[in-house]
Amino acid sequence: MLNPELLLSFLGASFLIAVGPGPSNAFLMAQTFANGRRAGLHCALGFALGGVAHTLFAVVGLSALLKASTTAYTTVQYLGACYLAYLGIMTLWQSWQQNTVADSCDDKPHVQLKKQSPLFQAMMTEVLNPKVALFFIAFIPQFVDPTLNTSTTVQLAIFGLLYPILAFPVDCTYIYFGDKIARYFKRNPSAQLWIDRLTGLIFIALAINLLL
């Protein structure tokens, strides 16, 4: 169904890309630091679902549209940046609100503000990143063998689905060590507030990076 040599090359290249530091890993670590291992796992699953969505986009040609249309690319780019900036601002605001409540009334339970699901946040961040879309239409087709009986569309879909499957255990490794580091810092009672603030700043930095 797939060219074995191209498959091995794809797996090797994908592993190196997944392991290498990047915006997705920064987002994943920020969620793990702020909300724990469970949130990190949900985030990793959200990125995997985002990868599946981009595979579908690539198969039906929507990713190619982003590459061909400057307007479409810019629109998605700004939507993604605005969403990340929104997450960052809300995280900082919630951290400030929790700190205010703690300072004004230490003997009362802290207010727990409702947060969006890390899975949804990660999935939307991935889907609204046009650079990921371009990755799928620029990187994956290099491993498609047009001489095989299997159609190029099917091969593209298989490779596209293999990438998030391969990246998921790599993300879990980041989550494991990120949770260990977070637990160390959270021994300080005020550490959670600073971790939340750092998380918010990371989200805002990722929004700026998306526009570059």
Side-chain angles (χ1 to χ4, degrees):
M1 182 176 289
L2 297 176
N3 185 311
E5 294 182 1
L6 291 177
L7 176 59
L8 288 175
S9 298
F10 172 81
L11 294 176
S14 297
F15 177 77
L16 293 176
I17 292 172
V19 170
S24 296
N25 290 333
F27 186 98
L28 182 70
M29 293 295 283
Q31 284 282 12
T32 304
F33 285 158
N35 302 309
R37 185 183 302 180
R38 183 180 180 87
L41 290 173
H42 287 179
C43 187
L45 182 58
F47 279 131
L49 292 176
V52 173
H54 274 293
T55 299
L56 295 176
F57 295 159
V59 169
V60 301
L62 293 180
S63 294
L65 175 63
L66 286 178
K67 184 178 181 180
S69 172
T70 302
T71 302
Y73 181 92
T74 303
T75 300
V76 175
Q77 185 181 35
Y78 276 95
L79 286 174
C82 288
Y83 182 70
L84 282 169
Y86 164 77
L87 293 180
I89 293 170
M90 289 302 297
T91 301
L92 291 172
W93 183 78
Q94 289 171 344
S95 172
W96 180 81
Q97 286 288 98
Q98 290 174 357
N99 189 45
T100 301
V101 170
D103 290 342
S104 62
C105 192
D106 290 336
D107 59 341
K108 293 183 180 180
H110 291 179
V111 174
Q112 295 295 326
L113 300 175
K114 185 177 180 181
K115 297 181 179 180
Q116 290 181 340
S117 164
L119 187 152
F120 178 80
Q121 291 180 0
M123 184 176 66
M124 291 303 298
T125 299
E126 191 83 343
V127 170
L128 293 176
N129 189 342
K131 295 179 181 179
V132 177
L134 295 183
F135 164 79
F136 272 81
I137 65 173
F139 173 72
I140 293 178
Q142 300 179 44
F143 304 94
V144 172
D145 187 348
T147 65
L148 297 179
N149 292 330
T150 305
S151 70
T152 55
T153 300
V154 172
Q155 292 184 62
L156 182 66
I158 293 174
F159 281 122
L161 294 175
L162 279 176
Y163 181 79
I165 293 174
L166 178 66
F168 185 79
V170 175
D171 288 344
C172 289
T173 303
Y174 271 96
I175 293 166
Y176 175 80
F177 288 105
D179 184 59
K180 291 290 186 182
I181 296 172
R183 287 177 184 271
Y184 173 80
F185 284 106
K186 286 180 180 179
R187 292 173 186 172
N188 186 324
S190 63
Q192 183 63 55
L193 286 175
W194 289 106
I195 289 175
D196 288 344
R197 290 165 184 170
L198 177 61
T199 299
L201 292 175
I202 289 175
F203 289 161
I204 293 173
L206 290 175
I208 296 172
N209 178 73
L210 185 59
L211 296 176
L212 298 179

